[in-house]
Amino acid sequence: MLLYIILGLLIHLVFFASIFDIYFTSPLVHGMTPQFTPLPPPAKRLVLFVADGLRADKLYELDENGNPRAPFIRNIIMHEGSWGISHTRVPTESRPGHVALIAGFYEDVSAVAKGWKENPVEFDSLINETRHTWCWGSPDILAMFAKGAGRNHVFAHNYDAYSEDFGAQDVTKLDTWVFDNVKEFFHAARNNQSLFSKLNEDKIVFFLHLLGIDTNGHAHRPSSREYLNNIKIVDEGLKEIVSTLKDFYGSDGKTAFIFTADHGMTDWGSHGAGHPLETCTPFVTWGAGIKYPQKVLAQKFDDTYLQEWKLENWKRQDVNQADVAPLMAALIGVPFPLNSVGTLPVDILNSTDLFKAESMFTNAVQILEQFKVKMTQKKEATLPFLFTPFNSLSDSKQINILRKARSYIKQKKYDEAISLCKELINLALKGLSYYHTYDRFFLAFNVVLGFVGWTSYASLLIIKSHCNLTRGVSKEVKKPRHLLSCSFVAVGVLLALFLLIQACPWTYYIYCLLPLPVWYAVLREFPVIQDLVTLLLTFPPSHFVGYLLLFILGVEVLVLSFFYRYMLTAGLIAFAGWPFVTPLWTRAKSTSLSWIFFCLLLAVFPLMPVVGRKPNIFLVVGAGLLVLLLSLFVVTSVLKRKDSFVSEELVLHLLQMLSTVLSICVVYGTHNSLLKKQGLPLINQVVSWIILASSFVVPLLSPLILFDRLFSILVSSMSTYLLLSTGYEALFPLVLSCLMFVWIHMEQETLPQSVVSCKQKVSSVQFTYKTDITQFRDLYLDDIRRAFFLVFFLMTAFFGTGNIASVNSFDLASVYCFLTVFSPYMMGALMMWKILIPFALVMCAFEAVQLTTQLSSKRNFWSSQC
């Protein structure tokens, strides 16, 4: 059985890894020829300001007094440049946003494995193409563009990583540091002839990364005074930098400015998902080559932002985030980034129609080059008779569009040329997507085939080995027919040759060949399948249909709960009615009432806002006090017992109570310290890590009696969970555990005396490593319900207080008792452990259910797998 479990885990790991090969592969290709506009550019230099985490509405809206929150930017919008909204894409994180802005493509999702810090695949960017680039800001952002840049032309100036402290007294210093260093840089350049010469060359970029707004948003929320004041500080800093550059260059009119953000932020201070507050960022540009403001009488957009911001008479020109890269390249006359998929927003350019048309033509050729490389790669790796080209953009059509566009430019029909180039860009982008997902169906089909085969085999294994449903089938595996073995071997060899000829990655061999041994094992159990079909045919049709509908309903509830958390509430309410349809109500009324109460109480949590949106430290403290109250009750019961283990057990309980008290004090103290902007106290940080470490050890010292061990696990887990909580979620594991304790009692009550020869009292059941397998029984239909309960409770544990599938459900404030300096891996690990604590509590309770019902946990493990 251990071999089967290991095999099952390995197969599930393969299925999990397949997600990245199917959906998360890098979209980048290499081997394209650089493309640039063959005309003099309007600007010699460009200044890019990126305000990390700045929401469009917070910048553009008026303050409570009706005055602009950012008066300098407001003046630019009305008198000097163009403005709009830059629409970002998921994931709305700092690295993906900056990659889209500077490299022109939407992030390679495989970068998540490196904490959005490293380049898993090398790519071209605007910074690579410049003559010189100077950057100031966060080390996390600057390093990824400076690293790998050739010619030593990128000069990065960054502050220390430890400055990114969410608990610092004043995080606006992250932005003022940038502004001060830029001003000092230009002041020093007047006395440095070599630097002065470089600064007066063309094709140069100044990149200012401003992290203060994002840090204040995480720490205090976007509606806070700190966040809004930070916007004012950035606005003033922009004004000073623009003035500094005008003084340095003598107002030569050759500087272009772009101010934008990498992503927005939700009202609760998170980002990463696709909420409009996260994807709508400001976009303001002015200076050389940029159109002046245009007054209009009316504008049509799907939102009401213009009226809210009092900007309805100033033309709004929205862009996609990746469009900024080709815009910057066109402004300073450098080659478009090779991997860019952005479309040049020509309506923003203040240049000749010829320059617009030539720039648009260059943009189209640059994207078409990627399409050609992608198509060539896929064509060379596919057998000719199996290759299906993207028919909407054939070779002849490419040539015709390019020839016609060039002809329009020669005939000075610039609008027609621009329109034709946009059409070509759209077709090329569709073609890129087509070839990028070319193998998706093939891989998904093989993975689904393998998963269905494994589920079928697990089901047959249960029926054959652990059920009394098969009377006439021998449990000895009959030697399979030689023809069957040879057939599967032949198919495997053919598949391997097919993949080898196409030079497929080694992972493809696993996904394609894995279903073969799985389905071979299934077909070996054909007599069991026959017996099962025969048995099912003996069921009355009404019973069979009823069970089938119930099964479909249960699966649908589980699936819908991934998207709608309130489905968990519906399921828990249905669970509350379970005693009324069984003899439990009459057999164990008090236990049934407890079951109903805790089911309904737990059903409240999925209806509440996602964790972090409404923090309440007093609920966290209240949860800790409830744990102390329960511990006190247990200690009282221990004192009433008279045995040799009382003293050791009492000391253990007192230590766990002390741990809970310390957790309450640390949470409350850290909260107050951060409110006063005094940072995370060192003693609080040390105590938090000690409590976390002890929570893994202390439960192992508790007695093996079932409820003693479970309660010890609960208290130790709650001590850690309190430190990771910000509001009502602190109560969730407590209520869930209470329901789990009642579930254990309920399941034992469901067993009739005829099924288990001698029911044990729950209080006498012990967790032991070596269990007498002769006490175990076969599986019955009721065990399928138990397996469903397990899966449902696991879903509730995962989604009861949030949606773990959404990045913005994670609140950084959850880890402030442990650290406040930004560290994606450490913070991610702590948040993951917070998610796993309820999961662990459910699994411990499930193991207890197996012991009290005298059923091997391995058997019901297989049931839950199916």
Side-chain angles (χ1 to χ4, degrees):
M1 181 58 73
L2 180 61
L3 178 63
Y4 287 123
I5 292 176
I6 294 173
L7 181 62
L9 291 175
L10 288 174
I11 289 175
H12 279 78
L13 284 175
V14 171
F15 293 151
F16 179 77
S18 69
I19 297 172
F20 295 91
D21 263 338
I22 297 173
Y23 297 104
F24 291 165
T25 52
S26 174
L28 303 184
V29 291
H30 299 89
M32 292 79 68
T33 304
Q35 304 289 329
F36 59 92
T37 306
L39 292 173
K44 291 179 63 177
R45 67 198 73 91
L46 181 138
V47 185
L48 173 63
F49 303 94
V50 180
D52 206 305
L54 176 59
R55 281 170 35 172
D57 60 328
K58 296 300 180 183
L59 178 73
Y60 292 140
E61 69 185 8
L62 304 178
D63 62 19
E64 58 276 4
N65 299 319
N67 299 319
R69 180 165 290 122
F72 176 72
I73 290 295
R74 192 85 171 190
N75 181 69
I76 294 293
I77 292 172
M78 293 183 171
H79 300 99
E80 295 188 38
S82 299
W83 76 284
I85 291 177
S86 171
H87 296 278
T88 71
R89 287 191 187 178
V90 176
T92 47
E93 297 288 346
S94 292
R95 176 196 159 96
H98 283 87
V99 168
L101 287 169
I102 298 174
F105 70 91
Y106 298 102
E107 176 63 298
D108 174 6
V109 288
S110 62
V112 70
K114 298 194 176 185
W116 298 123
K117 288 187 177 183
E118 295 292 331
N119 303 338
V121 179
E122 290 303 318
F123 60 86
D124 187 31
S125 71
L126 174 83
I127 289 176
N128 289 348
E129 304 294 349
T130 60
R131 194 180 305 278
H132 302 293
T133 296
W134 287 270
C135 315
W136 294 266
S138 165
D140 296 336
I141 299 301
L142 303 190
M144 68 182 182
F145 292 106
K147 181 180 179 181
R151 300 184 287 111
N152 297 320
H153 68 291
V154 180
F155 309 97
H157 308 271
N158 56 264
Y159 39 74
D160 191 83
Y162 290 101
S163 300
E164 301 175 23
D165 189 346
F166 298 107
Q169 185 173 4
D170 182 18
V171 297
T172 60
K173 64 184 180 183
L174 298 176
D175 296 338
T176 55
W177 182 95
V178 171
F179 294 134
D180 292 343
N181 275 264
V182 173
K183 288 184 286 186
E184 291 174 8
F185 170 79
F186 280 101
H187 178 73
R190 295 180 183 275
N191 302 316
N192 186 326
Q193 188 58 44
S194 174
L195 179 59
F196 187 84
S197 300
K198 288 180 180 178
L199 290 174
N200 280 280
E201 295 178 10
D202 61 354
K203 297 180 175 60
I204 63 174
V205 167
F206 303 103
F207 170 36
L208 282 68
H209 174 243
L210 309 169
L211 187 60
I213 292 175
D214 182 74
T215 308
N216 264 319
H218 285 305
H220 306 288
R221 308 293 185 263
S223 58
S224 66
R225 182 187 59 193
E226 290 81 2
Y227 185 92
L228 301 178
N229 285 342
N230 205 150
I231 294 176
K232 294 180 180 179
I233 291 172
V234 167
D235 185 67
E236 293 168 1
L238 260 64
K239 183 178 180 180
E240 293 174 1
I241 297 301
V242 171
S243 176
T244 299
L245 265 74
K246 285 183 177 179
D247 290 342
F248 187 85
Y249 289 109
S251 300
D252 64 352
K254 289 295 183 179
T255 307
F257 299 89
I258 292 178
F259 176 73
T260 185
D262 53 350
H263 56 77
M265 187 172 287
T266 61
D267 287 333
W268 52 96
S270 296
H271 55 81
H275 193 282
L277 295 176
E278 300 167 86
T279 59
C280 292
T281 60
F283 173 74
V284 183
T285 180
W286 68 99
I290 302 298
K291 273 188 180 179
Y292 285 96
Q294 303 173 62
K295 279 199 168 184
V296 292
L297 296 177
Q299 302 181 72
K300 289 185 178 181
F301 287 93
D302 295 333
D303 51 61
T304 58
Y305 291 146
L306 289 170
Q307 292 73 27
E308 295 171 5
W309 300 337
K310 310 297 181 186
L311 290 169
E312 54 265 40
N313 294 325
W314 304 96
K315 187 174 181 180
R316 168 180 154 189
Q317 304 194 73
D318 289 4
V319 297
N320 291 319
Q321 195 172 50
D323 299 342
V324 178
L327 173 63
M328 294 190 293
L331 286 171
I332 59 175
V334 299
F336 285 38
L338 294 175
N339 303 114
S340 172
V341 293
T343 303
L344 177 67
V346 289
D347 293 337
I348 290 175
L349 293 176
N350 182 21
S351 58
T352 63
D353 290 340
L354 173 62
F355 181 83
K356 292 179 182 179
E358 286 288 358
S359 297
M360 203 71 209
F361 185 85
T362 302
N363 191 187
V365 172
Q366 171 258 322
I367 293 177
L368 184 62
E369 281 284 312
Q370 295 181 71
F371 169 80
K372 289 179 178 179
V373 171
K374 195 80 171 180
M375 181 183 68
T376 302
Q377 290 178 352
K378 187 54 59 181
K379 191 173 184 179
E380 290 176 351
T382 307
L383 294 174
F385 65 91
L386 292 177
F387 180 71
T388 306
F390 182 67
N391 293 323
S392 299
L393 191 57
S394 61
D395 291 343
S396 59
K397 189 167 186 177
Q398 297 173 32
I399 295 171
N400 288 337
I401 293 177
L402 290 174
R403 186 185 293 120
K404 188 178 291 186
R406 177 54 66 191
S407 174
Y408 281 147
I409 293 174
K410 289 180 178 179
Q411 297 172 28
K412 297 184 179 181
K413 296 180 179 179
Y414 301 121
D415 290 339
E416 289 85 346
I418 290 173
S419 177
L420 203 58
C421 288
K422 287 183 178 180
E423 179 188 345
L424 179 59
I425 288 173
N426 290 332
L427 288 172
L429 291 176
K430 289 179 181 178
L432 275 172
S433 176
Y434 172 80
Y435 287 119
H436 181 60
T437 60
Y438 191 85
D439 293 332
R440 183 169 292 180
F441 176 79
F442 172 70
L443 292 175
F445 175 79
N446 281 281
V447 170
V448 169
L449 191 65
F451 188 80
V452 171
W454 174 249
T455 303
S456 303
Y457 180 64
S459 303
L460 293 172
L461 194 67
I462 294 170
I463 294 170
K464 179 182 177 181
S465 304
H466 303 307
C467 297
N468 59 3
L469 298 179
T470 55
R471 302 288 185 183
V473 177
S474 171
K475 294 191 178 183
E476 292 294 327
V477 179
K478 293 182 180 180
K479 187 176 181 179
R481 293 181 180 178
H482 189 66
L483 180 61
L484 181 64
S485 305
C486 292
S487 299
F488 275 89
V489 170
V491 172
V493 170
L494 290 174
L495 266 176
L497 287 173
F498 173 76
L499 297 172
L500 183 64
I501 293 171
Q502 298 196 115
C504 293
W506 64 271
T507 51
Y508 281 38
Y509 289 83
I510 298 176
Y511 306 140
C512 295
L513 296 177
L514 180 62
L516 293 177
V518 172
W519 279 103
Y520 173 69
V522 170
L523 293 180
R524 286 179 64 188
E525 306 296 342
F526 187 72
V528 182
I529 299 173
Q530 286 180 312
D531 194 77
L532 177 62
V533 172
T534 303
L535 181 68
L536 291 176
L537 292 175
T538 62
F539 271 80
S542 57
H543 289 188
F544 181 79
V545 172
Y547 282 129
L548 182 62
L549 291 177
L550 194 62
F551 172 78
I552 294 173
L553 178 63
V555 171
E556 282 299 315
V557 169
L558 290 174
V559 172
L560 289 173
S561 64
F562 277 93
F563 309 99
Y564 310 103
R565 290 173 57 225
Y566 60 79
M567 292 304 298
L568 296 172
T569 298
L572 287 167
I573 292 173
F575 280 11
W578 174 41
F580 299 111
V581 295
T582 63
L584 287 169
W585 179 250
T586 55
R587 186 185 301 171
K589 187 165 290 186
S590 59
T591 307
S592 298
L593 286 172
S594 300
W595 169 265
I596 294 168
F597 173 76
F598 285 113
C599 275
L600 295 178
L601 188 59
L602 191 64
V604 175
F605 287 92
L607 298 176
M608 300 179 76
V610 172
V611 169
R613 301 190 182 185
K614 294 183 179 180
N616 189 330
I617 201 66
F618 296 106
L619 287 177
V620 181
V621 173
L625 293 175
L626 285 175
V627 174
L628 283 177
L629 187 63
L630 279 174
S631 299
L632 191 61
F633 174 77
V634 172
V635 167
T636 304
S637 65
V638 169
L639 290 172
K640 292 179 181 179
R641 284 164 38 195
K642 293 182 180 180
D643 54 54
S644 58
F645 298 102
V646 168
S647 58
E648 292 87 347
E649 190 176 347
L650 183 61
V651 170
L652 188 66
H653 282 301
L654 291 177
L655 282 174
Q656 290 185 308
M657 289 179 69
L658 176 62
S659 178
T660 304
V661 171
L662 288 174
S663 294
I664 295 172
C665 294
V666 168
V667 168
Y668 189 76
T670 302
H671 177 73
N672 286 337
S673 179
L674 293 177
L675 279 181
K676 296 175 183 177
K677 298 183 179 180
Q678 295 175 352
L680 171 61
L682 179 60
I683 184 65
N684 288 18
Q685 188 177 25
V686 172
V687 170
S688 297
W689 284 106
I690 291 174
I691 291 173
L692 174 62
S694 65
S695 67
F696 295 99
V697 179
V698 173
L700 301 177
L701 305 177
S702 61
L704 290 176
I705 298 173
L706 187 145
F707 274 109
D708 289 355
R709 177 59 64 92
L710 287 178
F711 188 78
S712 179
I713 293 171
L714 168 62
V715 177
S716 293
S717 300
M718 280 300 299
S719 298
T720 302
Y721 202 86
L722 291 173
L723 296 171
L724 294 168
S725 298
T726 60
Y728 76 88
E729 81 272 18
L731 296 165
F732 178 73
L734 193 57
V735 176
L736 179 65
S737 296
C738 290
L739 181 59
M740 294 298 98
F741 278 109
V742 178
W743 183 34
I744 296 168
H745 281 285
M746 291 283 285
E747 290 295 357
Q748 208 214 21
E749 292 294 339
T750 61
L751 291 176
Q753 195 67 30
S754 59
V755 174
V756 181
S757 58
C758 182
K759 276 200 226 177
Q760 304 179 65
K761 289 185 178 179
V762 174
S763 58
S764 67
V765 177
Q766 292 192 3
F767 283 110
T768 54
Y769 180 72
K770 293 182 179 179
T771 308
D772 183 8
I773 61 173
T774 60
Q775 294 182 0
F776 292 142
R777 57 179 177 80
D778 285 332
L779 285 172
Y780 288 88
L781 288 177
D782 216 26
D783 294 311
I784 298 177
R785 176 195 48 78
R786 291 189 181 95
F788 177 78
F789 274 25
L790 168 66
V791 176
F792 186 88
F793 285 138
L794 288 177
M795 294 289 294
T796 305
F798 277 129
F799 298 106
T801 58
N803 180 10
I804 66 166
S806 179
V807 181
N808 71 13
S809 288
F810 298 106
D811 183 13
L812 288 179
S814 298
V815 302
Y816 286 171
C817 288
F818 294 90
L819 74 165
T820 54
V821 176
F822 181 64
S823 176
Y825 286 119
M826 189 62 69
M827 289 178 166
L830 288 169
M831 291 178 185
M832 187 57 65
W833 180 237
K834 179 182 178 181
I835 292 170
L836 290 176
I837 285 175
F839 173 85
L841 294 173
V842 173
M843 290 306 299
C844 289
F846 183 64
E847 177 63 22
V849 167
Q850 310 313 306
L851 291 173
T852 56
T853 57
Q854 297 184 8
L855 178 67
S856 170
S857 57
K858 295 175 183 176
R859 299 181 183 184
N860 233 9
F861 169 80
W862 285 102
S863 298
S864 61
Q865 290 290 299
C866 298

